[in-house]
Amino acid sequence: MMIKLIKKSWLWSLAAIVLLGFISMGCSSNGEFGSSADAAEKVYVAPGEYDEFYGFFSGGYNGQLGVYGLPSGRHIFTIPVFSQAAVSGWGYSEETKPMFQTTDGFVPWGDAHHPELSQTNGETDGRWVFINENNTPRIARIGLDDFKTQEIIEIPNSAGNHASSFVTPNTEYVSAATRFSVPMDEEELQNMDVSIDSYKENFHGTLSFIKVSDEGAMSVDFQIRMPGFNYDLSHAGKGPSDGWSFFTSYNSEQAHTLLEINASKNDKDYIAAVNWRKAAEYAAEGRGKMIPGEHYRNYIDHEEGGVAKSELIEEVRVLDPRELEGLVYFLPTPKSPHGVDVDPSGRYIAAGGKLSTVIPVHSFAKIQQAIEDEDFEGEEMGIPVLNYNSILHGEVQNPGLGPLHTEFDGKGNAYTTAFISSEIVKWDLETLEVEDRIDVYYSPGHLMIPGGDSQKPDGKYLVALNKITKDRYLPTGPEMFHSAQLIDISGDKMELLLDFPTEGEPHYAQGIAAEKVMDNQKRFYEIADNAHPYVTQGEKEARVERDGNTVHVYMTTIRSHYAPDNIEGIKVGDEVYFHVTNLEQDWDVPHGFAVKGANNAELLIMPGETLTLKWEPKKAGVVPFYCTDFCSALHQEMSGYVRVSPADSDVEISYGTGQ
Ligand code: K7E
Ligand code: CUA
């Protein structure tokens, strides 16, 4: 890295000299190096003004989804998804705990990689954003009307749900695939307890297609059983290739130990081209086989006051390409490919062969021709392997070292990240000539152009999502936020505009024009529509009810008091549920609720919403509770007391406000 740093700073001094030259010659600095003032002007969003785009950045190992404004790079929100978030009680409140239910029990953390906006006719539509979880295979759907996670579905027969969550052009399906092949849970495998040595015999991959209803409800429609490779990334076809999806694979060697060496032997691995429309027909006809595949689907039930429900689904339909013709074809692709990206016209499929010296670009028309001609060079588990030379549109030469991911500007150009050489390389989709390259700091993984994987990119900005931050910001000890860089791609030459930090590891991101989302925003929930089983519709209904050792507190909040705010008769050993309804009907007036001694997070209750905090008092005494969100000039007064008596006391339940 030291060498890299020296090289970069040397380059920058060179740039500075050239720039000085321009200035001393009285030239304008519109050229290659630009000027800080130009760049600053392009990203400046004046106080009180809005950004042009929303950016949704995966939080990686923080399990959440970050929302950023572009071009300013301002971090404007974090949507809690796969990890408990104490800031709002997500995963701590009784209403949201079921969202974390899995077949491994309650899992309070996740590794989120790829956000993907819903699409209509191949264009982002601003309804939802999906995001996958890698470790405990799941996909979440987030509503873009209230920026809250609405649903999380687990993917069975899967380990490492990485090639996910990419949508088809009308959001018919969201894709998923197992990154690590696993023994599948069929009865003959005795619950998957087999020797790791039996990898080649017993381990399989699965590609999963998650159906999305018009309302957004997700269900695993079918899985396709695949050879025991590692499946890495995916993208759906579009235009002429609509009806197909493409999945990269590596480890076609089927190694199960020291993959670094053993899975890097073959010159080529494969992209699996899946005819999902045909597969969906097979599934609808009841073809394939139902096998055990327990998985949970968790969703916020808006009919029942926003309380999350969990349902267990026990079986899953699996299609076998050995039995069903025309499901899958393998496209040989150099070498251990990572990303697979389909251009906006749907004609070209580019792979990021991380160990390859070229970017291979397949032609969908040629793939179709080769299938028709049965131009196969072999097969893997009954899946025909097409001839590399027959399907190739061409190879991009000299694309930088370690190409990973590609996005498109809708003007005939592709942009690929080169991880090892730390650059973005721009190339022409027809000629495959490299047109431009720009250094980024450092080691980009994904990149994002708003709409850049759809049929209608907004080819104005590109964001490089860099893995290594090093010297870009004030140091914060050994751990630093990752670094994104905004690049202007509106001209022939790319121009670096801005660095901004991103929280967690933002593998992938999506961007969308602000007006597609902002006009649709919920500002509060209608209190009259609140169908929560423990709602308190007005202060007069506020009350405390004891049922054995369980105590239900029906509590309301409005600026700036709780009702009730004095409660007596709680005893050590009780299970107390504070069901707090926020009666406000105004934008951005949540109230908080925190009680001393709770082994839990706070609640942050949106206007019109009811949330429940469970509290098991362990000591006798009087404890305060208070509002955590500075909601009015009298916010500090927004508080109350609970008296906790010993377990054997005979203090009766009593409560009130202002008595
Ligand atoms: Cu390349 Cu998970 Cu899409 Cu990270 S992945 S970079
Ligand atoms: Cu309510 Cu502060």
Side-chain angles (χ1 to χ4, degrees):
M1 197 30 113
M2 216 43 222
I3 291 166
K4 165 136 275 162
L5 292 184
I6 290 164
K7 187 182 124 218
K8 298 277 185 194
S9 52
W10 178 82
L11 269 177
W12 277 114
S13 6
L14 185 68
I17 292 164
V18 173
L19 192 58
L20 275 174
F22 273 130
I23 291 164
S24 62
M25 287 186 303
C27 282
S28 84
S29 51
N30 273 347
E32 189 174 350
F33 298 101
S35 76
S36 306
D38 285 349
E41 203 178 312
K42 286 182 178 166
V43 303
Y44 183 65
V45 177
E49 287 184 8
Y50 291 142
D51 276 291
E52 202 179 334
F53 294 96
Y54 282 95
F56 297 96
F57 288 53
S58 107
Y61 41 68
N62 84 6
Q64 318 294 34
L65 184 64
V67 187
Y68 294 74
L70 299 175
S72 72
R74 296 183 294 195
H75 183 184
I76 53 178
F77 196 58
T78 298
I79 303 170
V81 188
F82 295 114
S83 297
Q84 280 179 300
V87 64
S88 61
W90 176 251
Y92 292 94
S93 68
E94 296 306 301
E95 285 76 5
T96 55
K97 278 179 185 170
M99 295 300 281
F100 291 76
Q101 186 61 39
T102 76
T103 49
D104 293 303
F106 181 87
V107 177
W109 170 84
D111 181 16
H113 280 234
H114 307 115
E116 175 93 343
L117 291 156
S118 56
Q119 295 184 11
T120 303
N121 297 324
E123 195 182 337
T124 57
D125 59 23
R127 283 183 295 166
W128 310 303
V129 56
F130 299 89
I131 189 164
N132 66 314
E133 206 273 274
N134 194 43
N135 185 54
T136 306
R138 288 174 287 176
I139 292 175
R141 178 176 57 85
I142 293 141
L144 291 184
D145 55 346
D146 64 359
F147 281 60
K148 290 193 191 299
T149 301
Q150 302 295 336
E151 184 172 353
I152 296 179
I153 191 167
E154 209 181 352
I155 314 295
N157 297 314
S158 185
N161 176 37
H162 193 256
S164 187
S165 48
F166 300 98
V167 301
T168 55
N170 283 296
T171 320
E172 298 97 334
Y173 286 101
V174 176
S175 64
T178 191
R179 174 167 161 208
F180 308 107
S181 280
V182 283
M184 285 172 66
D185 194 7
E186 295 187 82
E187 272 123 45
E188 62 261 36
L189 287 188
Q190 294 164 357
N191 297 322
M192 310 193 279
D193 172 20
V194 299
S195 144
I196 299 169
D197 274 349
S198 72
Y199 188 100
K200 286 193 176 157
E201 184 190 329
N202 284 330
F203 286 48
H204 283 283
T206 49
L207 311 179
S208 304
F209 285 80
I210 318 306
K211 204 180 184 84
V212 183
S213 79
D214 290 346
E215 291 73 43
M218 296 189 284
S219 57
V220 182
D221 195 29
F222 57 88
Q223 301 192 300
I224 300 176
R225 186 194 304 260
M226 296 291 286
F229 305 160
N230 293 46
Y231 296 88
D232 206 10
L233 276 148
S234 164
H235 260 106
K238 50 188 84 141
S241 54
D242 184 17
W244 290 73
S245 279
F246 304 91
F247 294 81
T248 44
S249 68
Y250 60 103
N251 192 21
S252 56
E253 296 85 350
Q254 302 197 53
H256 57 79
T257 180
L258 197 62
L259 265 59
E260 182 184 10
I261 293 168
N262 294 332
S264 305
K265 290 182 173 159
N266 292 349
D267 260 359
K268 295 195 177 65
D269 297 272
Y270 301 112
I271 289 173
V274 177
N275 187 337
W276 63 255
R277 201 157 268 143
K278 178 165 264 180
E281 282 166 23
Y282 283 138
E285 288 164 10
R287 308 284 291 275
K289 183 169 148 194
M290 297 303 288
I291 72 163
E294 285 197 340
H295 60 284
Y296 275 98
R297 169 178 175 255
N298 311 318
Y299 61 99
I300 301 284
D301 187 345
H302 289 283
E303 318 270 274
E304 296 263 341
V307 181
K309 303 271 165 61
S310 285
E311 43 181 64
L312 179 66
I313 297 125
E314 292 185 349
E315 286 187 323
V316 63
R317 178 174 306 282
V318 176
L319 307 177
D320 192 325
R322 286 169 297 201
E323 289 154 15
L324 298 169
E325 219 172 296
L327 273 189
V328 192
Y329 298 88
F330 275 134
L331 322 176
T333 302
K335 176 181 184 174
S336 301
H338 184 56
V340 54
D341 298 286
V342 182
D343 89 294
S345 79
R347 290 182 300 156
Y348 302 124
I349 298 122
K354 51 192 193 281
L355 304 179
S356 165
T357 55
V358 298
I359 298 171
V361 184
H362 299 304
S363 150
F364 184 72
K366 289 183 176 179
I367 292 167
Q368 292 308 99
Q369 193 60 50
I371 292 171
E372 200 178 301
D373 299 345
E374 303 200 353
D375 185 0
F376 305 147
E377 61 174 50
E379 56 126 21
E380 294 267 11
M381 207 195 96
I383 299 169
V385 177
L386 304 182
N387 212 312
Y388 181 66
N389 292 316
S390 307
I391 59 174
L392 196 67
H393 167 50
E395 292 172 340
V396 182
Q397 303 295 327
N398 193 18
L401 299 177
L404 289 185
H405 297 285
T406 299
E407 292 252 299
F408 308 91
D409 63 4
K411 295 178 260 183
N413 305 301
Y415 301 78
T416 300
T417 48
F419 179 84
I420 298 170
S421 53
S422 280
E423 57 186 332
I424 307 287
V425 178
K426 175 182 177 184
W427 48 277
D428 184 295
L429 270 163
E430 293 301 334
T431 66
L432 304 178
E433 297 289 331
V434 171
E435 302 171 297
D436 191 22
R437 51 211 315 151
I438 190 169
D439 286 329
V440 292
Y441 306 88
Y442 306 92
S443 300
H446 280 268
L447 73 177
M448 180 273 273
I449 294 169
D453 69 341
S454 75
Q455 281 170 268
K456 290 240 179 63
D458 270 305
K460 187 171 180 185
Y461 302 112
L462 178 156
V463 181
L465 300 159
N466 305 316
K467 298 295 189 190
I468 294 171
T469 305
K470 295 266 178 186
D471 52 5
R472 301 304 287 182
Y473 308 116
L474 289 174
T476 53
E479 182 191 348
M480 302 186 76
F481 272 10
H482 286 224
S483 174
Q485 293 187 294
L486 187 80
I487 293 166
D488 181 345
I489 55 166
S490 60
D492 288 342
K493 290 271 168 201
M494 292 182 274
E495 188 194 350
L496 179 59
L497 300 179
L498 179 73
D499 275 24
F500 60 98
T502 57
E503 188 173 1
E505 182 172 3
H507 292 271
Y508 189 40
Q510 290 265 283
I512 185 169
E515 68 264 15
K516 285 189 185 175
V517 173
M518 58 187 285
D519 299 337
N520 229 351
Q521 292 303 294
K522 240 187 202 46
R523 299 188 167 189
F524 54 85
Y525 302 102
E526 291 289 341
I527 186 75
D529 297 343
N530 183 327
H532 193 290
Y534 293 97
V535 66
T536 311
Q537 283 283 4
E539 279 191 21
K540 288 204 183 90
E541 292 170 32
R543 64 198 184 276
V544 181
E545 288 176 358
R546 174 179 284 287
D547 174 13
N549 276 346
T550 304
V551 178
H552 292 286
V553 180
Y554 293 78
M555 183 180 266
T556 63
T557 67
I558 197 152
R559 281 164 285 182
S560 294
H561 61 272
Y562 293 96
D565 69 0
N566 279 200
I567 300 169
E568 300 203 0
I570 305 290
K571 295 179 203 171
V572 172
D574 280 347
E575 222 170 60
V576 182
Y577 293 90
F578 292 98
H579 309 288
V580 188
T581 299
N582 182 353
L583 298 175
E584 304 280 356
Q585 292 288 275
D586 194 0
W587 193 16
D588 198 22
V589 193
H591 290 286
F593 178 82
V595 58
K596 182 174 179 289
N599 299 106
N600 210 334
E602 69 151 346
L603 299 176
L604 188 68
I605 311 120
M606 297 303 122
E609 186 183 36
T610 304
L611 288 178
T612 301
L613 186 115
K614 181 180 173 184
W615 178 51
E616 291 168 296
K618 292 180 191 62
K619 294 188 283 200
V622 175
V623 294
F625 57 87
Y626 73 100
C627 173
T628 51
D629 187 329
F630 208 109
C631 48
S632 75
L634 295 170
H635 154 82
Q636 286 299 84
E637 283 71 13
M638 193 165 175
S639 62
Y641 285 110
V642 187
R643 175 179 169 194
V644 181
S645 303
D648 58 0
S649 100
D650 49 15
V651 178
E652 291 290 318
I653 291 281
S654 65
Y655 53 87
T657 305
Q659 278 107 13

